[in-house]
Amino acid sequence: EFQYFCDEHSFTIDIEGNYTTNSTYHTSLNTLMSNILNNNEIDYGFHNVSYSEYPNRVYAIGLCRGDIKLEQCRTCLNQSRANLMAVCPNRKVAIGWYNDELCMLRYSNRSIFDRMDNGLAYYKKSNKNATDLNVFNTKLNDLLNGLKRKASSGDSRLKYAVGNFSLPNFDDVYGLLQCTPDLSGKDCDNCIAQSIERISKDCCKDSMGGRIVRPSCFMRFETSYQFYGPTAYMPPLPLASLPPTTTSVTNPSSGGKSHTSVLVITITVPIVAVSKKEEAKEKQFKK
């Protein structure tokens, strides 16, 4: 499944023409896509990179859902790249979501970084409606607003949150929210808030499942079906700071009656033993 747009009416950034096959812009685009797919330093599922100079400069965003692991993320982006260039041939601007929004790929000849694009791309809903609508809608709204606060408080690597609640009939409702992490917390909050508002209007009112997908944020909820897995990337925790140790030292010149407090800071340095065999493997890998 692949959702995509490559015309100027699909999202808020207008398209500025086509590029010619084998042109400088085409080369810049291919180089940029290769850089994304071969970048081993990015392990948190978000790429925002640019390449070349005006007028052939290309900007691209690659975003994987927060539960998608590194290798699956690369595969998804690679498949999106092939699909997007096939369905939007020679277009300077295009965007696509692959396989139930496991990843999004977007490129443009204008800068798309740090900018909220809340243009409604598409939405879907379940064919089943909830029974106890008051309870369902209240709990769903509470869940999504709580996840909104959590996602928007993320850092520049991950703005993502998942959660669930239980219904009186023992069914669980699962929710997922994600923003492109280059957005500010305020822009992420605003993008998701607009999606939550659409639920009761024209998207998925009273429905037991639905999703609203925008270029800068994505929201989905389902009943009795946990559609996401464990979060793939967890930001590293800061090193725990050890409390300072105060040691009393006797001053010999005072006959042992006076004491001076000296602040001693203890620093723990981890030592890793590497066998010669492992060291040889490492050297071979670097070559």
Side-chain angles (χ1 to χ4, degrees):
E1 183 180 358
F2 189 67
Q3 302 286 341
Y4 64 93
F5 296 104
C6 45
D7 65 85
E8 65 272 19
H9 303 296
S10 301
F11 46 105
T12 58
I13 296 180
D14 293 335
I15 287 180
E16 292 186 348
N18 296 343
Y19 64 84
T20 305
T21 302
N22 297 325
S23 64
T24 303
Y25 190 90
H26 190 193
T27 302
S28 297
L29 178 59
N30 284 335
T31 302
L32 186 62
M33 292 296 104
S34 297
N35 289 342
I36 290 177
L37 298 173
N38 296 320
N39 190 337
N40 295 322
E41 296 180 359
I42 302 297
D43 61 352
Y44 44 88
F46 174 62
H47 302 262
N48 57 333
V49 290
S50 61
Y51 184 80
S52 193
E53 301 295 334
Y54 181 84
N56 298 302
R57 191 173 185 84
V58 186
Y59 303 83
I61 287 179
L63 177 69
C64 288
R65 208 171 69 186
D67 60 329
I68 303 304
K69 294 182 179 180
L70 182 59
E71 289 305 318
Q72 187 181 4
C73 178
R74 288 174 181 159
T75 300
C76 186
L77 290 174
N78 190 33
Q79 291 169 328
S80 296
R81 171 197 180 187
N83 286 353
L84 201 54
M85 289 185 168
V87 296
C88 300
N90 301 103
R91 303 296 284 182
K92 288 187 175 181
V93 180
I95 185 171
W97 294 264
Y98 187 79
N99 196 15
D100 275 341
E101 300 85 37
L102 293 186
C103 68
M104 177 197 76
L105 182 63
R106 180 183 183 188
Y107 52 83
S108 174
N109 61 341
R110 301 185 189 180
S111 177
I112 52 177
F113 306 149
D114 309 318
R115 299 181 180 183
M116 180 180 67
D117 187 346
N118 60 352
L120 180 60
Y122 64 94
Y123 61 82
K124 297 181 180 180
K125 69 174 183 177
S126 169
N127 294 325
K128 296 182 179 180
N129 287 342
T131 52
D132 192 338
L133 296 180
N134 289 332
V135 173
F136 181 85
N137 289 328
T138 299
K139 286 194 170 186
L140 177 63
N141 189 69
D142 290 343
L143 172 66
L144 296 179
N145 277 291
L147 295 179
K148 174 173 66 73
R149 290 189 292 270
K150 183 178 179 181
S152 60
S153 66
D155 61 18
S156 60
R157 294 164 295 185
L158 188 69
K159 284 184 168 64
Y160 170 80
V162 294
N164 66 285
F165 66 87
S166 297
L167 294 172
N169 61 356
F170 304 107
D171 283 333
D172 286 335
V173 180
Y174 300 90
L176 180 153
L177 301 176
Q178 186 167 10
C179 295
T180 58
D182 59 325
L183 293 184
S184 66
K186 181 180 179 180
D187 282 344
C188 177
D189 189 282
N190 287 340
C191 188
I192 295 174
Q194 293 181 43
S195 295
I196 294 176
E197 290 177 0
R198 298 297 290 260
I199 291 178
S200 60
K201 296 179 180 179
D202 53 5
C203 162
C204 24
K205 179 177 171 58
D206 302 332
S207 176
M208 297 180 72
R211 71 190 76 179
I212 297 177
V213 183
R214 303 174 186 270
S216 291
C217 66
F218 160 60
M219 180 192 74
R220 181 179 175 184
F221 65 93
E222 301 288 351
T223 302
S224 303
Y225 168 45
Q226 184 173 338
F227 58 91
Y228 54 83
T231 302
Y233 173 78
M234 300 299 292
L237 296 175
L239 294 175
S241 57
L242 296 175
T245 303
T246 302
T247 304
S248 294
V249 180
T250 302
N251 187 348
S253 63
S254 61
K257 294 182 180 180
S258 176
H259 296 80
T260 302
S261 294
V262 179
L263 188 64
V264 179
I265 305 297
T266 304
I267 301 176
T268 303
V269 180
I271 299 176
V272 180
V274 181
S275 67
K276 292 183 177 180
K277 184 176 181 181
E278 292 172 338
E279 186 177 0
K281 287 182 177 179
E282 184 179 358
K283 290 181 178 179
Q284 183 179 3
F285 174 76
K286 289 181 178 179
K287 292 180 181 179

